Amino acid sequence: MATTAVADLALCQVEASYRSVDELFVGFPPSQLKRPEIERHLRHSGCDGPVTVADGRWGWALPLNHRNDVLGCLVLSAVTAPPEHQILLLTILARQAGTALAHIATQDHNVGYTGRLITANSGLEEMNRELSSSIERLQRQATMYEVLSAGAQLGEQGIADALYELTALPVCVEDKFGNLRCWAGPGEPRPYPKQTGDDRDLLLHQLAAQNGLARVGSHLLALVQPRSEILGVLSLRDPKNSATDEALAALRQGAKILALELAHRRTLAEMELNLRRDLFDDLLAGTDRDGAYARADALGHDLRRPHYAVVMQSAAFAAGTLASAAGRAASALHLHYLLGRQGDVTVMLTDGRPDPHALYDLITEGLGKSGTVIGIGTRCEVPDELPRSFMEARRALNIRLHSANPEGAAAFDELGFYRLIAAAHDVGAVDAFMREWLGALLDYDEGRNSALVLTLSDYLECGGKYDESSAALHIHRSTLRYRLARISELTGHDLRDVDTRFNLHAATRAWRFLSEADRQRGD
């Protein structure tokens, strides 16, 4: 019975079996093939541990013990070593078989005594029944492990479905806060009831104090806890108190498997988050092309398509809220994206050019239009160009921030005059123009810590209107008149002359544009 049961409990076969006779191992049944190499090993090295078998297979000698006596031995082989739980099942089987052999030995030694022979036979029958019962129980345990392990391949819902299959009781998986993650079986409550924070903490503490398994009302609860951190609760709904010991064992084992699944999923999520964050930061700072492609491929993002940098700010909403709205908007525009944070702005790298107005409308649709400003850079064919697109997007954002109506979106390729400023600045021409028209004011502001250039800029942006200019600068009209007179005195320019006003306006716009760009580059 023992040799027949081996194949039912584990992926093994019996190479040879022996009974212990006068401290020697004798092949039993006698009809089996002689295995000199195995018998030699048993004589010299004992009957408990690794054994060399043919073809380099895994081999193991399993003693059939009863108390301190070795009554026999099974020599097993397999392609690879069986799992730990199967080894445990085989060990239990060996003990039961050893006990059965002990009863047989007792019968043989007392064959002359009829009364004792009958007792021995009765004991043997009982042990055989126990052995059969044990084998059935072990087979059910093996089935439980197999069903739960198969369910684990489908994630937490698969584990819940497997547990429902094993217990016929509804199963629910909750996170540590009491939110429903999945349900298996009938009777799912809608909406799902959720405990208060204090009640939840008390429940988790109660479960931990009872070794992670307890009955609370009509539910049997098990902690999902891979190490010290609690990840959730697995429960069986049992209002009739009908759960068997096997159901409790399945619940406990399901909680262990679920803990490993959730811990593994969390580890993968953390790895992906770190990889995504590192790639995002490197793309904005500048990184090698092949390395960027490889890391993007690992994240499932096609970086070989043309990309655009998009930056955004909101005076009324937190960065996380803005980022979530931006992600939803990009998905609605059928754009794939990488999303992150850089300094004081939220940044999105999209695999296509988002329409500025459509993107702004979608982002502010759920947030409202309180202080949301967006800048979009130009097209990048390869990853090494993304730092340029990012700087252009920041410049577009800055121009929008300093416009008369800041809220909205601006694309760098639609800036017109400001693109000329950027191009001229790159070759040094714009700096000479600014010095020509604003040099005296720039030097004066730097030496006196004053704001004459800003005053002139706001005055010209307001079309030379005193009331609007005073309001924009938060100064009195008389203060504005004094500053304008001082500007005319320092520069020698007549602010009433049309050509002069045009050149000064261009120079102050260039100053505001490039001053903010230089500040961002310094950051």
Side-chain angles (χ1 to χ4, degrees):
M1 291 181 67
T3 57
T4 302
V6 166
D8 294 330
L9 299 180
L11 298 176
C12 296
Q13 68 182 37
V14 178
E15 289 285 332
S17 56
Y18 300 88
R19 290 187 65 177
S20 178
V21 179
D22 297 330
E23 299 184 353
L24 295 176
F25 287 106
V26 178
F28 187 86
S31 59
Q32 67 179 324
L33 294 176
K34 296 289 186 179
R35 301 294 296 272
E37 72 283 3
I38 293 179
E39 294 170 6
R40 192 181 307 112
H41 175 90
L42 296 179
R43 284 197 301 271
H44 296 291
S45 301
C47 62
D48 187 6
V51 176
T52 301
V53 296
D55 301 328
R57 292 162 61 85
W58 174 85
W60 195 268
L62 194 64
L64 308 181
N65 295 330
H66 180 68
R67 298 177 180 171
N68 295 326
D69 297 328
V70 178
L71 301 174
C73 175
L74 295 180
V75 179
L76 311 178
S77 69
V79 176
T80 59
E84 184 177 350
H85 72 273
Q86 292 186 4
I87 294 292
L88 175 61
L89 298 180
L90 292 172
T91 302
I92 295 172
L93 172 66
R95 292 174 183 170
Q96 296 284 359
T99 303
L101 288 175
H103 280 273
I104 294 174
T106 300
Q107 176 186 352
D108 291 343
H109 282 86
N110 298 282
V111 67
Y113 301 93
T114 304
R116 298 180 63 182
L117 179 60
I118 295 174
T119 303
N121 285 334
S122 298
L124 178 59
E125 291 175 0
E126 179 65 24
M127 289 305 302
N128 284 338
R129 285 193 295 271
E130 291 181 7
L131 179 59
S132 298
S133 177
S134 296
I135 290 173
E136 291 177 1
R137 184 174 65 255
L138 294 174
Q139 287 174 335
R140 289 194 296 271
Q141 290 180 4
T143 300
M144 177 187 71
Y145 290 132
E146 291 173 2
V147 171
L148 288 172
S149 297
Q153 304 300 317
L154 303 176
E156 55 191 295
Q157 184 63 58
I159 295 171
D161 291 339
L163 188 57
Y164 173 65
E165 177 185 341
L166 290 168
T167 65
L169 296 173
V171 179
C172 68
V173 179
E174 300 173 342
D175 63 17
K176 66 183 297 183
F177 307 107
N179 299 303
L180 178 66
R181 294 180 65 93
C182 60
W183 181 282
E188 178 181 353
R190 298 177 184 276
Y192 190 79
K194 183 177 178 180
Q195 295 174 298
T196 64
D198 290 341
D199 289 343
R200 189 66 176 180
D201 291 341
L202 182 61
L203 173 64
L204 297 179
H205 179 76
Q206 178 182 351
L207 286 174
Q210 299 187 44
N211 296 320
L213 185 66
R215 173 176 285 276
V216 177
S218 61
H219 289 76
L220 289 166
L221 307 177
L223 277 181
V224 180
Q225 187 176 19
R227 295 184 181 86
S228 59
E229 183 182 6
I230 296 173
L231 299 182
V233 173
L234 177 65
S235 68
L236 298 177
R237 189 176 183 184
D238 184 29
K240 296 181 179 180
N241 198 17
S242 59
T244 64
D245 290 342
E246 291 181 358
L248 292 175
L251 175 62
R252 191 182 296 275
Q253 186 64 28
K256 292 179 181 178
I257 294 176
L258 182 59
L260 295 176
E261 169 68 18
L262 295 182
H264 176 65
R265 185 181 300 179
R266 169 176 288 191
T267 299
L268 291 180
E270 290 174 351
M271 290 174 60
E272 180 177 346
L273 179 62
N274 291 333
L275 179 60
R276 188 177 297 273
R277 184 186 298 117
D278 292 343
L279 172 62
F280 184 84
D281 292 342
D282 289 348
L283 287 174
L284 295 186
T287 186
D288 69 287
R289 190 177 305 176
D290 292 338
Y293 287 148
R295 287 188 284 167
D297 289 344
L299 292 170
H301 184 82
D302 184 5
L303 200 57
R304 292 171 176 81
R305 301 181 64 180
H307 276 65
Y308 293 76
V310 181
V311 299
M312 56 202 85
Q313 282 183 337
S314 177
F317 301 100
T321 303
L322 180 59
S324 298
R328 291 193 296 270
S331 298
L333 294 173
H334 306 291
L335 297 172
H336 299 94
Y337 61 90
L338 295 172
L339 189 64
R341 184 83 179 160
Q342 192 73 203
D344 59 342
V345 294
T346 298
V347 186
M348 185 164 58
L349 305 178
T350 63
D351 65 350
R353 183 185 186 278
D355 178 83
H357 302 295
L359 180 64
Y360 174 76
D361 290 341
L362 286 169
I363 289 177
T364 58
E365 188 176 59
L367 298 181
K369 300 184 178 182
S370 301
T372 302
V373 187
I374 302 170
I376 303 173
T378 57
R379 178 187 178 107
C380 299
E381 298 294 341
V382 290
D384 357 345
E385 297 176 353
L386 282 169
R388 168 188 53 77
S389 183
F390 172 55
M391 185 57 65
E392 292 169 346
R394 293 208 64 156
R395 289 180 176 177
L397 177 74
N398 177 54
I399 291 169
R400 189 78 199 190
L401 284 171
H402 291 88
S403 65
N405 297 301
E407 294 179 6
F412 187 81
D413 56 12
E414 297 176 353
L415 293 180
F417 170 73
Y418 292 102
R419 292 184 65 192
L420 295 177
I421 292 177
H425 179 61
D426 291 339
V427 298
V430 73
D431 299 284
F433 178 78
M434 286 171 52
R435 290 300 306 176
E436 177 184 351
W437 289 92
L438 301 175
L441 298 181
L442 291 169
D443 294 340
Y444 185 87
D445 283 347
E446 184 177 359
R448 302 294 183 87
N449 194 27
S450 57
L452 292 184
V453 177
L454 178 62
T455 299
L456 177 60
S457 176
D458 282 353
Y459 171 71
L460 295 173
E461 289 292 333
C462 293
K465 298 176 182 178
Y466 275 79
D467 290 338
E468 294 182 13
S469 302
S470 300
L473 291 165
H474 304 289
I475 59 176
H476 196 270
R477 282 173 57 95
S478 60
T479 304
L480 175 62
R481 290 183 181 277
Y482 168 77
R483 289 186 183 180
L484 293 175
R486 188 62 176 147
I487 290 170
S488 296
E489 179 184 341
L490 289 171
T491 62
H493 296 315
D494 183 1
L495 299 183
R496 295 170 297 179
D497 182 73
V498 174
D499 290 335
T500 298
R501 288 165 68 98
F502 175 81
N503 288 322
L504 286 173
H505 200 176
T508 55
R509 282 197 168 185
W511 168 77
R512 298 186 79 144
F513 176 60
L514 296 177
S515 295
E516 179 64 19
D518 290 341
R519 183 190 69 78
Q520 294 168 356
R521 190 180 295 110
D523 292 343

